[in-house]
Amino acid sequence: MDTLTLLERLPGSYGGPIQPEPGPHALIGVGEGTLAAHLAATLVPGTLARGGTQFVLSSADAGDTARDYAALAEVAGAAVRRVSTGGAPGDVDVLVPGGLSTTYHAAQFVAHASGHADQAADAERLLAELRDRCAPAVTEGNPARDLAWSLWGRTPLLLAAPDADALPHAWQTLLARVGKTLAVPVLGDSLPLVTGAFEARHEGGDAKVAVLLGDPDPAMGIAREVLESRVDEVRHVPYPPGVNPEHPGGYAAQLALWYFGAWVAAYLAERYGTTAADSPVLARAQTALAGESDPEALGLSAPREGDDLRRTDFVRNGRDDSEDEADDGVEEDYDEDMDEDEENGGR
């Protein structure tokens, strides 16, 4: 199934357990479960339980770490619910699909199991409304496709208020995994970065677009004002319309913004003319970490024959390789002192 079709079918596709588990609850994620745990932390802020139920979200490539966390929780007196994309039968209580949709299925399980079925239902409603606005059939006024155009050829800087720090994590992952694009999350206090990073070299803000995710706080408002004079563009991506006013920046709103980011990333891959599917290198790496193959046999250290991982030609000192070949094989010595003299006007 291609990524756009997967995203169209995702809302309402959760089919896992919906019964609540005994509290108190704690949540930890590793491997493919890391992002789902980060998004669901608005519902279950505790990390390790000493009673009640411990949720461990993981994947086969992080099986050893997941087992360690499960063992710690059991020793502390908690019941463990292991949610994973695969692994030995004894390591999986709830099996969820692997890949891009892991985040949705694992997070929705936590919402139901922690007694927040109302917020799980809110999330489904928001995702369905976003699908109707972002699907490929929507050719005019498609917000995901429009934002992908703004990000095309630029490096996104991702910012969010402290209570939504899962969103820069989510969008960096999506833009890399789906859109094959590097994005830079601005974590913690954004003001030192935005007021200082572009001062010494003003061109550092070229080809950068700041993406403000969710509801801005006062500090983000100031950061936006500063960035508007330092980078190419500033875009605000608010929570979608229809967010429950009782949870304005809560779980449902953040999962919806994760889903919107997946649409943006898929359209960005389309703009770059590349596939939105997982890189073969990712699959080989996960296979190696799961202990299913020898890492050296998988060829993780270098591209396979015929692969070219460079998007643009390598340029050295402002010249391409063809110009070097025209130098009759004579390699010019580099004189650092001479360069400094030329930059200083020969002084």
Side-chain angles (χ1 to χ4, degrees):
M1 184 186 304
D2 68 85
T3 302
L4 293 175
T5 301
L6 172 67
L7 291 174
E8 279 197 275
R9 297 180 180 179
L10 195 62
S13 65
Y14 175 74
I18 59 173
Q19 66 271 19
E21 301 288 343
H25 306 106
L27 169 65
I28 196 161
V30 294
E32 293 269 41
T34 304
L35 179 53
H38 201 172
L39 289 165
T42 56
L43 304 176
V44 184
T47 302
L48 290 173
R50 297 182 179 276
T53 304
Q54 173 75 55
F55 303 120
V56 179
L57 314 183
S58 69
S59 49
D61 55 292
D64 289 342
T65 306
R67 280 189 289 272
D68 289 343
Y69 282 125
L72 285 172
E74 288 175 337
V75 168
V80 178
R81 291 287 277 165
R82 303 166 179 83
V83 183
S84 182
T85 61
D91 295 332
V92 182
D93 299 313
V94 178
L95 183 66
V96 294
L100 176 62
S101 66
T102 298
T103 298
Y104 160 80
H105 289 282
Q108 284 292 77
F109 166 79
V110 173
H112 284 287
S114 62
H116 297 93
D118 57 336
Q119 295 196 49
D122 284 343
E124 296 289 8
R125 175 178 53 81
L126 292 175
L127 265 61
E129 292 171 358
L130 279 170
R131 175 195 56 205
D132 295 342
R133 297 170 57 208
C134 298
V138 182
T139 56
E140 296 292 334
N142 185 321
R145 185 178 277 124
D146 291 346
L147 183 56
W149 270 93
S150 291
L151 302 185
W152 182 48
R154 292 165 160 177
T155 301
L157 307 176
L158 308 172
L159 298 88
D163 59 355
D165 63 350
L167 295 177
H169 174 195
W171 278 56
Q172 183 192 38
T173 301
L174 290 165
L175 291 172
R177 183 172 190 168
V178 180
K180 310 302 184 290
T181 298
L182 174 66
V184 179
V186 179
L187 304 177
D189 184 0
S190 62
L191 293 178
L193 186 143
V194 303
T195 59
F198 309 107
E199 293 303 312
R201 295 174 61 249
H202 293 285
E203 69 275 13
D206 295 344
K208 304 289 191 302
V209 54
V211 182
L212 313 183
L213 300 166
D215 290 339
D217 62 358
M220 192 187 297
I222 295 175
R224 176 173 189 163
E225 183 177 348
V226 173
L227 283 166
E228 284 174 344
S229 64
R230 285 163 172 78
V231 299
D232 283 355
E233 186 179 2
V234 177
R235 295 292 300 266
H236 178 215
V237 183
Y239 293 121
V243 169
N244 189 331
E246 295 183 6
H247 310 286
Y251 166 75
Q254 293 195 30
L255 188 66
L257 219 52
W258 164 83
Y259 180 63
F260 179 69
W263 279 110
V264 173
Y267 286 129
L268 192 56
E270 186 178 77
R271 286 297 308 148
Y272 280 124
T274 188
T275 176
D278 281 349
S279 163
V281 178
L282 173 62
R284 298 201 294 268
Q286 290 176 328
T287 298
L289 290 171
E292 299 174 11
S293 298
D294 179 4
E296 294 185 3
L298 293 171
L300 297 176
S301 60
R304 290 189 169 184
E305 183 178 355
D307 290 347
D308 184 0
L309 300 186
R310 297 179 298 172
R311 176 171 292 162
T312 57
D313 292 333
F314 177 67
V315 177
R316 182 171 63 251
N317 295 334
R319 304 185 305 170
D320 61 25
D321 292 339
S322 62
E323 292 175 314
D324 287 342
E325 292 172 359
D327 288 340
D328 298 327
V330 178
E331 183 175 344
E332 182 179 351
D333 291 333
Y334 175 69
D335 191 329
E336 185 175 296
D337 293 334
M338 182 178 294
D339 270 5
E340 291 179 354
D341 290 341
E342 289 175 355
E343 291 174 359
N344 292 326
R347 295 192 300 273

